[in-house]
Amino acid sequence: MILYDYCRSSAAYRVRIALNLKSLAYEQRAVNLVSGEHREDAHVQRNEQALVPVLEDNGMQLSQSLAICEYLDEAYPETYSLLLGTPLERANQRAFALAVACDIHPVNNLRVLQYLVGEMGVDAEKKMQWYHHWIHTTFRALEAKLQKRKTPSAFCCAEQVTIADICLVPQVFNANRFAVDMTNYPLIKAINARCLEMEAFAKAHPDLQPGA
Ligand SMILES: N[C@@H](CCC(=O)N[C@@H](CS)C(=O)NCC(=O)O)C(=O)O
């Protein structure tokens, strides 16, 4: 498998964690988001949306990190499962993951921040205010959801890592990178720390990737 990714892309970080948890071998090809390599023809041929990650498997190129994670689970069921338990439990794990992937990530994505600054004339301070606001809005909700669990577990939704943790950890990395105050999120911080102790997460860390 070939993973087209970028060290600090949180969507690609999710897929790296998933591949590592499932012990699947992959080759990495860095696509530099800072220099705009993702908008060049070669990458747009892989993903018309000009975004990373793209996973190539059996000659086919897939985009969208969560679709890729579910593909990996379906295509390689003999390895670690990213979704666990009953349909209700699995839906709960997806809901947690989607809160990050659909409700934080898209509004804080590079192209949105670039549009705010470029087309909308927003200054650097207001851009950071925007960035922090959307993280706090969903982290507050997720922390409350974790507090309310009837049976508290070591990870977001279970005693094992699921797709929920795979989405949470890269988002916490982004929050820390941009100095978001995490004081009010003790459970998120504890789960993040627990995940980072695991090899699958440690190996996927942005600082250890090509081009970091
Ligand atoms: N929903 C997509 C999001 C992919 C995405 O937005 N990737 C970011 C990096 S985390 C990207 O390529 N950004 C380039 C840009 O904003 O121009 C997924 O989960 O794969």
Side-chain angles (χ1 to χ4, degrees):
M1 276 186 262
I2 301 172
L3 179 65
Y4 294 90
D5 75 352
Y6 180 63
C7 51
R8 283 184 295 277
S9 154
S10 58
Y13 190 178
R14 294 173 199 148
V15 175
R16 292 195 298 266
I17 297 167
L19 286 161
N20 295 344
L21 280 169
K22 292 184 76 68
S23 306
L24 296 168
Y26 60 102
E27 187 186 311
Q28 276 171 283
R29 306 247 172 101
V31 178
N32 192 323
L33 297 188
V34 175
S35 70
E37 206 182 337
H38 55 303
R39 292 193 208 97
E40 288 172 13
D41 222 39
H43 190 68
V44 176
Q45 292 297 324
R46 292 176 206 120
N47 179 3
E48 299 75 9
Q49 284 191 285
L51 299 169
V52 294
V54 170
L55 183 78
E56 188 172 310
D57 193 18
N58 288 317
M60 180 144 169
Q61 292 170 332
L62 284 176
S63 62
Q64 292 293 344
S65 58
L66 292 186
I68 295 171
C69 289
E70 294 221 18
Y71 161 74
L72 292 174
D73 250 6
E74 287 173 14
Y76 302 97
E78 64 285 359
T79 62
Y80 190 89
S81 291
L82 308 175
L83 285 158
L84 300 171
T86 65
L88 267 179
E89 288 164 338
R90 294 156 73 87
N92 188 47
Q93 294 150 25
R94 285 193 186 94
F96 199 109
L98 290 170
V100 172
C102 297
D103 298 331
I104 305 179
H105 181 273
V107 286
N108 280 355
N109 202 2
L110 178 66
R111 62 184 179 176
V112 172
L113 302 179
Q114 286 173 339
Y115 191 83
L116 281 177
V117 173
E119 273 75 359
M120 309 298 281
V122 167
D123 65 27
E125 198 185 321
K126 286 262 185 268
K127 179 183 87 171
M128 263 310 120
Q129 190 182 331
W130 167 285
Y131 194 90
H132 285 214
H133 174 78
W134 294 115
I135 292 185
H136 283 305
T137 300
T138 294
F139 271 13
R140 258 196 306 272
L142 292 179
E143 182 72 22
K145 191 174 167 70
L146 291 170
Q147 296 278 1
K148 271 182 13 201
R149 289 173 302 178
K150 287 198 190 85
T151 340
S153 49
F155 297 98
C156 293
C157 302
E159 283 304 329
Q160 286 178 57
V161 161
T162 67
I163 193 86
D165 309 281
I166 290 175
C167 286
L168 183 70
V169 167
Q171 191 58 62
V172 173
F173 171 82
N174 281 352
N176 289 333
R177 182 172 166 226
F178 292 103
V180 171
D181 180 2
M182 295 289 290
T183 314
N184 292 331
Y185 312 122
L187 293 177
I188 290 179
K189 282 196 293 182
I191 291 169
N192 181 63
R194 221 166 274 132
C195 288
L196 292 179
E197 283 170 11
M198 297 172 62
E199 200 192 347
F201 285 82
K203 269 172 53 189
H205 193 278
D207 293 349
L208 300 181
Q209 308 313 310

